[in-house]
Amino acid sequence: MKEELFDPGTGRPRPQGLYDPASEKDSCGVGFVVDIKGKKSHQIVKWGLEILVNLEHRGACGCEENTGDGAGMLLQVPHGFLSRECARLKIDLPAPGSYGVGMVFLPRDNNERNHCEAILEAAIRQEGQEVLGWRDVPVDDRDLGDTARRAEPLIRQVFVGRAKELTDPLAFERKLYVIRKVAEKRVREEAPRLGLRQVSSFYISSLSSQTIVYKGMLTASQLQHFFPDLLDESMESCLSLVHSRFSTN
C-alpha cells in the first residue's frame, strides 16, 4: 500500500486526496509555536527563534551572505516588558488591551523623521486616541551586510492610549488599523510639499493592542541579535509566529 503512494519511476508522491505534487512550489519559511493553555512565557519566544533559525534554508539572501531577504516574528504584546521599559521613559502604560503599540520604521534624517512622527501623531489624535509616548527600539546592526545597513531605518515604538468611550476591544483594533493606513497614506501625499526624500523608510510593521511584530531586512539567524528585546527574559508570549522570506516566489 505504501509503495502505491509513490511513482516507482520518479520516486515522487502520487496525487492523493487533496494533495497534488504539481502544486508544490518553493516558498518562504513559516513556523508557529503556541502554549495551548494560554500561558505566557519567554520559552515560547525562545522556541520561536529556534524554529526561525531552523528555517534559514527557506529564506534567501542577497549578493552578500549577511544581507537577508527578510525575517520576522509576531508575538503577543509583552505588557510586562513594555511597562518596565516605558517606566524608565516616564511613560505610564495603562492595563493590557487599553493601549496599542506600533513598531514604526522611520527615516534616519532628523527633519524627515520629525515630519513622519508628527503626521502619525496627528492621525492618532484625529481618530480620538491619545499619544502616550515613544520608545527607541535598541538594535545591534554589527552583523548586517553593507546593503542591509545602507537601507536600515530608525526603529521606534509608539504607544497609543485607548479613548475612554471606546470600550470594545475590536473597535479599538479597527481604530489602530485606520490610524496606520491614514498615516502611511498621508506621509506619501505630503512628501512632495515637505520635500521628503526618505519616505520609503516610513513604514508601520504593526500597530495593535494584541500583537507586535519584530522584523527587518535580516537573515533568520540575525533577528535575535539585531533586536536585543527578544532575548530579554521578561519578553513573554503564549504564541510565536515566525517568517523567513524568499522574495522570488
Side-chain angles (χ1 to χ4, degrees), residues 12 15 18 20 30 33 57 59 85 98 101 125 140 147 156 165 180 196 205 244 246:
R12 299 188 64 185
L18 298 177
D20 186 342
V30 176
V33 59
H57 65 288
E85 294 300 308
S98 297
V101 55
R125 296 188 179 101
D140 183 349
T147 302
R156 304 190 77 197
E165 64 273 13
R180 174 183 173 184
L196 305 181
S205 61
S244 182
F246 190 81

Side-chain angles (χ1 to χ4, degrees), residues 13-84:
R14 297 180 188 273
Q16 49 196 284
L18 298 177
Y19 171 75
D20 186 342
S23 299
E24 289 202 8
K25 299 179 176 65
D26 289 334
S27 58
C28 305
V30 176
F32 182 73
V33 59
V34 61
D35 186 307
I36 61 174
K37 295 184 178 179
K39 182 181 178 181
K40 296 182 179 182
S41 70
H42 183 62
Q43 184 62 55
I44 294 293
V45 181
K46 291 169 68 175
W47 279 333
L49 292 169
E50 183 178 348
I51 290 172
L52 185 60
V53 171
N54 290 337
L55 286 173
E56 188 142 27
H57 65 288
R58 303 302 297 171
C61 64
C63 57
E64 306 154 344
E65 291 184 358
N66 53 355
T67 291
D69 208 25
M73 170 180 279
L74 178 146
L75 303 166
Q76 290 177 300
V77 169
H79 178 70
F81 170 81
L82 292 176
S83 60
R84 185 196 71 196

